[in-house]
Amino acid sequence: MASEEGAFVEPRVAPSKYSERVVLKSIVGRSDRGSELIGERVVIGGWVKSSKEQVKDLPQQPDSMAIVPGKQKDVSCVEILQSRIPLFRSIMKILAASHTPIREKLEILAAKPASQPSIVYLQVNDGSCVPNLQVMVESSIASPSHLTPTGTSIVAEGVLEQPSIPCKHVVELKVEKILHIGTVDPARYPLAKPKVPLEVLQGYPHLRPRTITVASITRIRSALTHATHTFFQNHGFLYVHTPVITTTDAEGFSEKFQVTTHCIESDQKLAPKATQDDEAVNLENVKAAIMEKSKKIEELKRSESNREALFAALEDLKKANELASQLEAKDKLNHRNSIESGKREFSKDFFSHKTFLTVSGQLHLESYACSLGSVYTFGPRFRAEKQQNRKHLAEMWEVELEMAFSHLEDVMACAEDYLKFLCQWVLENCSEDMQFVKKRIDRSVTDRLKLVASNSFEKITYTEAVELLMKVTERKFKEKIEWGVSLTEEHESYLTDEIFKRPVIIYNFPKEVKPFYARLNDDGKTVATVDIVLPKVGTLIRGSQKEERIDLLTARIKDLDFPREQYDWYLDLRRHGTVKHSGFSLSFDHMVLFASGLIDIRDVIPFPRSHGNVSY
């Protein structure tokens, strides 16, 4: 920008480094809402959220035939005719249009309003902040019909001025030039109506980020991602990329997605269709016939009246037993062939054996922790459970970390600090978005974030938690509470919301309800594990100290009947320089739910994947 003296003046609001446009957050997201930028020339881009058209007031034109007192002037006939030429042209167009009677055409002409210039006021947002920028466009610059539909995209150049009409805005853009218009068809655009419910928006994941609600949630999610990396980098953790495709199961409780490059047909599909004779002569039918024949022989023996019939029945039973033996041998052979066939099929597959999408990066993360100290990873995890609810999806994101030379107490301390850091980060860096979600979604959301950020967590053992819940008499739980069972969401919420009214750390769970790699405690019944439960959202963090003793870990793998060869590499970490190490995982999507006040996980993941739903 050049001054009057010709010297270059730095603009008060700079365009994006990789675009000519100015991000709207740098205008309306300022503390002064842009008032200090009045007079600045900018290029902006965004999508129309709403619009209003106002007819422009025209200055009163003096009639050329009127006599103004004190200013009388002779007007010639030629001047009068020239002033009426536009009217005559309009009349001639109407008269020449069709064979409609002249009287009717004149009535049409009289009824047709004259096209007047107008001003369009657009509420434009580019996704960088909650507030919109008011954009004023005169009809002489662009047709209002192209600009006003909700969802229209524009790129415009103009000057920031004080609003020309009374409104809540501090500044508006007076457009001098339209550089781009991306039109929409209001009849087909699913977001044309205001305040579309979140349940409806789930059917349009590719368009719903244009709504203020989903845009705010996306910015909060981005802030939590930034905070996660900032926390671990500040504390000396190394970021490790763990594999998505794996052969091992870190939990042992989840259904997994199998990875293959070809479809293996089932044994039934490969086998020839059974004939009626085959169906009649099967092992079950033959065994049933043997039982009937045996009964008949016993009856014949008791009567001793017909020795020939008894002899025939014995011969018949002998043949049936021989047939049963043949069928049993055939079934065993078919079973072995089926197994060998399956092995041969996998040997032809891309990885030569069964592989799955990972349910956790925990085991692979341990290998780097046992070499580099403190490490973390952040990525998608996959579970093939066919459940449909508001808290679980087939693909969800998790933050996982592992620390060498650490115990369960270190995990508790790190997890508490991490959660407090996330909550404080959102409060400090997403204040505008948090004000919006507090107003539109959950009035108590900021209070819960402050509760976590500023208060210590309650610590109790699993046994103590069960004892507290068993003493509850004023409420009947759906699932019976007793030692040895997993705590349900109902049990957890009662502990956090009713008893302690703050986050709760529960540790030392029964070994039967926790993963195989958790370290066995001295009591032989519990393992060094921890769950951190937050109000409203439930268990957000699960952690454990890992079993570093190879004999106990090997026995645990054997007890659970896991294939030993798949975990041999994992046991190597105990064979060669074993150390005590601990870690935890945080369900990132549930953290976004907690920070936003929403209750459906499908509303906080950009493209949610669930059973029977992967359309995009």
Side-chain angles (χ1 to χ4, degrees):
M1 180 183 294
S3 66
E4 293 181 358
E5 293 78 11
F8 180 80
V9 178
E10 186 72 24
R12 286 174 290 174
V13 56
S16 170
K17 183 177 180 180
Y18 305 109
S19 172
E20 295 181 355
R21 73 180 179 96
V22 171
V23 178
L24 295 188
K25 183 178 181 179
S26 61
I27 301 175
V28 295
R30 295 160 52 106
S31 58
D32 62 3
R33 294 301 185 192
S35 62
E36 292 295 321
L37 300 177
I38 290 177
E40 196 78 13
R41 178 177 296 277
V42 296
V43 174
I44 63 98
W47 290 266
V48 175
K49 301 301 178 182
S50 63
S51 62
K52 179 174 69 174
E53 185 177 2
Q54 181 175 315
V55 176
K56 191 175 182 181
D57 294 331
L58 295 176
Q60 188 68 33
Q61 296 293 335
D63 193 336
S64 59
M65 300 211 36
I67 299 176
V68 181
K71 291 188 178 182
Q72 296 184 6
K73 180 181 179 182
D74 294 333
V75 181
S76 66
C77 293
V78 174
E79 289 176 322
I80 294 174
L81 290 172
Q82 286 177 341
S83 67
R84 297 294 187 263
I85 284 176
L87 176 61
F88 294 150
R89 285 177 177 169
S90 298
I91 293 174
M92 293 305 295
K93 287 180 180 179
I94 293 291
L95 295 177
S98 65
H99 300 290
T100 309
I102 293 178
R103 181 182 180 86
E104 187 177 337
K105 290 182 178 180
L106 291 175
E107 289 176 352
I108 294 173
L109 179 63
K112 184 179 180 180
S115 177
Q116 289 183 276
S118 63
I119 299 174
V120 175
Y121 294 93
L122 307 174
Q123 301 301 317
V124 177
N125 197 294
D126 65 357
S128 62
C129 57
V130 174
N132 300 322
L133 174 67
Q134 182 162 287
V135 176
M136 183 186 73
V137 187
E138 296 192 8
S139 57
S140 59
I141 296 176
S143 171
S145 62
H146 293 160
L147 294 172
T148 54
T150 299
T152 300
S153 64
I154 68 165
V155 178
E157 180 180 347
V159 178
L160 295 172
E161 297 183 349
Q162 289 184 344
S164 54
I165 58 173
C167 62
K168 62 181 180 180
H169 299 281
V170 176
V171 67
E172 74 178 13
L173 179 70
K174 183 179 180 181
V175 173
E176 296 179 351
K177 187 187 300 182
I178 293 291
L179 305 176
H180 168 79
I181 297 178
T183 60
V184 299
D185 181 357
R188 300 181 62 186
Y189 186 55
L191 308 183
K193 295 181 179 179
K195 296 183 179 180
V196 181
L198 288 172
E199 293 78 10
V200 176
L201 291 176
Q202 290 174 6
Y204 304 96
H206 57 306
L207 293 174
R208 64 178 181 172
R210 295 186 185 180
T211 64
I212 298 177
T213 300
V214 177
S216 285
I217 302 307
T218 303
R219 289 190 291 268
I220 292 172
R221 186 183 182 99
S222 176
L224 288 169
T225 301
H226 187 185
T228 291
H229 289 292
T230 300
F231 177 84
F232 290 119
Q233 293 293 327
N234 288 349
H235 288 84
F237 285 75
L238 294 178
Y239 182 37
V240 177
H241 294 162
T242 54
V244 171
I245 300 174
T246 181
T247 60
T248 51
D249 184 355
E251 295 181 350
F253 304 117
S254 302
E255 293 293 328
K256 302 180 290 296
F257 288 102
Q258 187 174 327
V259 178
T260 180
T261 54
H262 64 272
C263 294
I264 301 176
E265 296 177 327
S266 66
D267 293 337
Q268 292 181 350
K269 211 168 184 180
L270 288 171
K273 291 184 178 180
T275 63
Q276 291 184 351
D277 291 340
D278 292 332
E279 292 178 357
V281 186
N282 60 58
L283 186 58
E284 295 301 321
N285 290 343
V286 171
K287 286 183 176 180
I290 289 174
M291 291 182 64
E292 291 295 326
K293 294 179 187 298
S294 298
K295 290 180 182 179
K296 185 177 180 180
I297 291 172
E298 290 300 322
E299 292 175 359
L300 290 172
K301 285 182 178 180
R302 284 194 296 269
S303 65
E304 296 185 356
S305 59
N306 193 340
R307 292 186 176 275
E308 292 182 0
L310 176 60
F311 179 77
L314 290 170
E315 287 295 319
D316 196 16
L317 178 61
K318 181 179 178 182
K319 291 179 180 180
N321 284 325
E322 291 175 353
L323 179 59
S325 299
Q326 293 173 5
L327 290 175
E328 285 179 348
K330 183 179 179 181
D331 284 352
K332 290 180 181 179
L333 180 61
N334 288 339
H335 181 67
R336 284 198 300 269
N337 290 339
S338 176
I339 294 174
E340 293 299 322
S341 175
K343 289 182 179 179
R344 286 194 297 271
E345 290 291 346
F346 280 114
S347 68
K348 299 175 184 177
D349 206 352
F350 189 89
F351 293 108
S352 301
H353 50 265
K354 281 188 178 182
T355 51
F356 307 93
L357 294 181
T358 183
V359 298
S360 171
Q362 191 67 56
L363 303 189
H364 295 92
L365 202 60
E366 283 186 53
S367 67
Y368 270 68
C370 291
S371 300
L372 302 174
S374 298
V375 293
Y376 75 104
T377 188
F378 184 15
R381 303 293 178 254
F382 306 89
R383 289 172 173 81
E385 285 91 354
K386 296 180 180 180
Q387 53 185 336
Q388 296 279 7
N389 58 53
R390 291 179 170 184
K391 288 197 172 183
H392 296 280
L393 291 172
E395 178 184 355
M396 296 172 63
W397 282 66
E398 288 191 12
V399 178
E400 297 174 289
L401 67 90
E402 194 70 22
M403 302 176 291
F405 311 103
S406 66
H407 300 78
L408 188 65
E409 292 75 15
D410 302 313
V411 166
M412 296 182 195
C414 181
E416 183 172 346
D417 289 346
Y418 173 46
L419 283 176
K420 289 182 176 180
F421 184 85
L422 290 181
C423 293
Q424 191 63 38
W425 184 280
V426 171
L427 289 169
E428 293 178 357
N429 296 279
C430 304
S431 57
E432 199 170 55
D433 289 308
M434 293 310 302
Q435 289 175 9
F436 174 79
V437 299
K438 181 179 180 179
K439 179 180 179 181
R440 296 289 184 88
I441 299 173
D442 186 347
R443 293 183 181 275
S444 60
V445 62
T446 55
D447 293 334
R448 284 196 302 274
L449 289 172
K450 292 176 182 177
L451 175 70
V452 174
S454 58
N455 289 278
S456 60
F457 293 8
E458 185 72 29
K459 292 182 181 179
I460 58 173
T461 65
Y462 167 86
T463 301
E464 291 169 339
V466 170
E467 290 173 351
L468 283 172
L469 292 169
M470 291 179 70
K471 293 177 182 178
V472 175
T473 57
E474 66 273 14
R475 179 171 175 177
K476 186 176 181 180
F477 298 114
K478 293 180 181 179
E479 298 291 334
K480 183 180 179 181
I481 182 68
E482 59 183 359
W483 201 96
V485 302
S486 296
L487 298 180
T488 66
E489 183 179 335
E490 186 182 24
H491 299 146
E492 295 168 347
S493 64
Y494 193 88
L495 290 169
T496 55
D497 300 337
E498 303 297 332
I499 297 180
F500 297 108
K501 302 185 185 301
R502 57 175 170 165
V504 178
I505 297 176
I506 308 172
Y507 62 98
N508 288 347
F509 284 76
K511 65 180 181 180
E512 288 79 12
V513 300
K514 287 299 179 180
F516 74 96
Y517 50 69
R519 192 179 199 274
L520 187 67
N521 289 325
D522 293 339
D523 58 14
K525 298 187 300 181
T526 63
V527 285
T529 52
V530 60
D531 286 3
I532 300 184
V533 188
L534 267 60
K536 187 175 181 177
V537 75
T539 300
L540 202 58
I541 283 181
R542 301 182 190 276
S544 65
Q545 181 175 337
K546 307 306 183 293
E547 183 59 79
E548 84 282 3
R549 297 163 293 187
I550 189 170
D551 54 337
L552 295 179
L553 184 60
T554 302
R556 184 71 172 142
I557 291 174
K558 183 178 180 181
D559 291 342
L560 294 172
D561 200 26
F562 287 173
R564 170 67 181 271
E565 64 277 5
Q566 291 184 9
Y567 294 89
D568 200 50
W569 69 270
Y570 184 64
L571 293 172
D572 268 351
L573 301 177
R574 278 72 181 172
R575 294 188 184 101
H576 311 299
T578 184
V579 295
K580 291 184 177 181
H581 54 287
S582 307
F584 67 79
S585 64
L586 171 133
S587 176
F588 188 75
D589 304 307
H590 290 135
M591 183 65 212
V592 181
L593 282 179
F594 180 76
S596 65
L598 289 169
I599 59 175
D600 194 332
I601 198 169
R602 290 169 293 186
D603 294 327
V604 301
I605 294 181
F607 291 90
R609 271 67 171 109
S610 59
H611 180 237
N613 179 27
V614 63
S615 301
Y616 295 86

